[in-house]
Amino acid sequence: MKQTKTLKVRVRDKHAALLQQMARSVNCVWNYLNELSARSIRERGRFLSAFDLHPYTKGANKELGLHSQTLQEITREYVTRRKQFKKSRLNWRKSGGVRRSLGWIPINTGAARWKNGQVYHNGHYFKVWDSYGLSQYSFRSGSFNEDARGRWYFNVVVEVEAVVPAGQDKIGIDLGLKDTATCSDGTKLEAGRFYRDLEPKLAIAQRARNKKRVKAIHVKIANRRKDALHKFTRQLVNRAGAIYVGNVKSSSLTQTKMAKSVLDAGWGLLKTMLEYKCAGAGIVFKAVNEAYTTQTCSNCGALPDSRPKGIAGLGIREWTCSACGVRHDRDINAAKNMLAVGHGRPVVGIPVL
């Protein structure tokens, strides 16, 4: 069975100037489409589709130094985002200044290929650190992308053989701040380890206004977080047949005093990784309602008087059910309840007979 996968490889720094030039041309096309679309809506009350916009950019690839299919991809992406955000005009892509847009050069299927040990696109060869053996793949759509430090990466979609894990465990996951994720079987991913030891160095760089160093530290923190989440989610997917996670929204908690811890925990990234890895492995993944999962006893299904309640109960990490006498770890109990909800049992009201 075949499935698609996106591979990301680093482009050598010597190509940065050429890619920056191409990225400025991409921004020019984007802004032109943005103004054209807004003017059509303002003057004629009509939204232009990708089919309507293509003729306005046809033939401009030679003057702009872009591949003709790149122009088509820019148009398609612009229309997609305009529909997604339901706006008549999107933000401008800025090529300079403090708030400049990070470089982006989209590539359609067939517009890039592996040739002479390098990525060949638009008449240019780009050397990359090939950590995947790209010669064995046929490239589909992709893009060149720049990060905050000015480094460029080549991202490409390829087809790979799907490996279906034999795991049959059913796992509920509770998302938290003390531990980023707690599974119903007791497995935990510790939180707060991604940036704690780098905080002093980050503070020194920020006070010295060393922007280059600040960006490097932030990237290191982000890479640590991604590495930990990738390893944790891969282990879960390899041994599970069904995964259920709470539907907590990190966006609502980023407006509170817990914002720093919430952003560092990376709940959204964790759920995204689980979702696409489960889809690729043919595993059930579902976000379930986490209401009362912390307060309900996972053994008897009751809401005992001894349960942790409200803000005052956040510091209670272990509690004993006054109804059945079972002692619970707060997070593991919540994860077990999410597993039960995933199986179709209401959180409250059905005791275990």
Side-chain angles (χ1 to χ4, degrees):
M1 184 177 68
K2 294 280 189 178
Q3 69 178 40
T4 58
K5 184 177 182 179
T6 301
L7 305 181
K8 180 179 180 179
V9 293
R10 170 90 180 276
V11 180
R12 301 292 178 93
D13 291 338
K14 67 178 183 178
H15 304 296
L18 174 60
L19 290 170
Q20 283 286 4
Q21 181 182 349
M22 295 170 66
R24 285 193 290 268
S25 297
V26 169
N27 294 346
C28 181
V29 175
W30 178 278
N31 294 337
Y32 172 70
L33 295 174
N34 204 17
E35 177 60 28
L36 191 66
S37 176
R39 184 176 176 181
S40 173
I41 296 170
R42 183 174 61 251
E43 296 180 358
R44 294 184 289 172
R46 179 187 174 194
F47 281 88
L48 297 177
S49 65
F51 180 80
D52 297 326
L53 290 171
H54 280 154
Y56 291 97
T57 60
K58 188 176 181 180
N61 57 298
K62 293 183 179 180
E63 289 77 7
L64 295 171
L66 299 174
H67 196 283
S68 59
Q69 291 188 14
T70 295
L71 297 181
Q72 297 175 12
E73 282 298 290
I74 298 170
T75 303
R76 185 191 62 79
E77 182 70 12
Y78 174 79
V79 173
T80 299
R81 299 307 167 200
R82 191 189 61 191
K83 290 180 180 178
Q84 177 185 355
F85 297 111
K86 299 178 181 179
K87 291 185 177 181
S88 60
R89 188 176 72 180
L90 300 177
N91 292 334
W92 304 104
R93 289 192 62 85
K94 304 174 182 66
S95 299
V98 178
R99 298 185 180 275
R100 77 176 185 90
S101 305
L102 296 181
W104 166 65
I105 305 165
I107 299 171
N108 205 347
T109 302
R113 66 181 187 275
W114 189 256
K115 185 177 179 181
N116 298 330
Q118 302 172 75
V119 175
Y120 181 74
H121 168 69
N122 195 31
H124 301 284
Y125 288 92
F126 298 93
K127 285 188 176 181
V128 299
W129 276 278
D130 184 15
S131 54
Y132 294 102
L134 294 177
S135 59
Q136 61 183 311
Y137 299 107
S138 177
F139 294 171
R140 299 179 67 175
S141 59
S143 64
F144 288 97
N145 294 87
E146 181 190 16
D147 68 4
R149 290 187 290 178
R151 298 181 178 183
W152 284 86
Y153 297 86
F154 177 60
N155 303 278
V156 63
V157 178
V158 298
E159 277 192 348
V160 297
E161 288 289 340
V163 178
V164 180
Q168 296 298 320
D169 293 347
K170 292 178 174 57
I171 301 172
I173 302 176
D174 174 58
L175 302 178
L177 299 180
K178 184 177 182 295
D179 295 298
T180 297
T182 302
C183 300
S184 52
D185 60 359
T187 306
K188 295 186 178 183
L189 175 62
E190 183 184 352
R193 63 180 182 180
F194 307 126
Y195 69 91
R196 294 296 184 187
D197 61 325
L198 292 175
E199 274 189 306
K201 295 180 180 179
L202 181 61
I204 292 172
Q206 288 174 334
R207 286 195 294 268
R209 298 186 179 181
N210 188 341
K211 295 182 179 179
K212 186 175 181 180
R213 181 60 179 155
V214 170
K215 289 180 180 179
I217 294 175
H218 276 302
V219 170
K220 188 171 184 177
I221 293 171
N223 287 339
R224 282 184 178 183
R225 184 182 297 110
K226 289 180 183 177
D227 180 66
L229 294 180
H230 269 302
K231 290 176 180 177
F232 181 74
T233 54
R234 175 47 57 191
Q235 291 174 357
L236 291 183
V237 171
N238 285 346
R239 64 186 179 87
I243 297 177
Y244 305 99
V245 63
N247 62 350
V248 59
K249 292 184 179 180
S250 55
S251 57
S252 58
L253 292 175
T254 54
Q255 309 301 319
T256 67
K257 294 181 179 180
M258 299 184 291
K260 184 177 180 180
S261 297
V262 170
L263 292 173
D264 182 62
W267 294 338
L269 183 59
L270 173 65
K271 289 192 285 188
T272 299
M273 287 182 178
L274 282 175
E275 185 173 9
Y276 75 74
K277 288 179 181 180
C278 287
I283 293 172
V284 175
F285 173 80
K286 185 178 180 182
V288 300
N289 183 12
E290 63 168 13
Y292 295 101
T293 52
T294 299
Q295 301 182 36
T296 304
C297 174
S298 57
N299 183 63
C300 65
L303 281 171
D305 296 333
S306 58
R307 69 186 186 273
K309 304 176 186 177
I311 297 177
L314 290 176
I316 301 175
R317 308 315 304 175
E318 293 185 356
W319 59 281
T320 302
C321 177
S322 57
C324 64
V326 174
R327 188 165 182 80
H328 296 293
D329 176 285
R330 176 194 181 100
D331 298 331
I332 296 176
N333 176 68
K336 289 180 178 179
N337 281 324
M338 288 177 193
L339 176 60
V341 174
H343 285 166
R345 191 200 81 182
V347 179
V348 183
I350 302 182
V352 177
L353 300 179

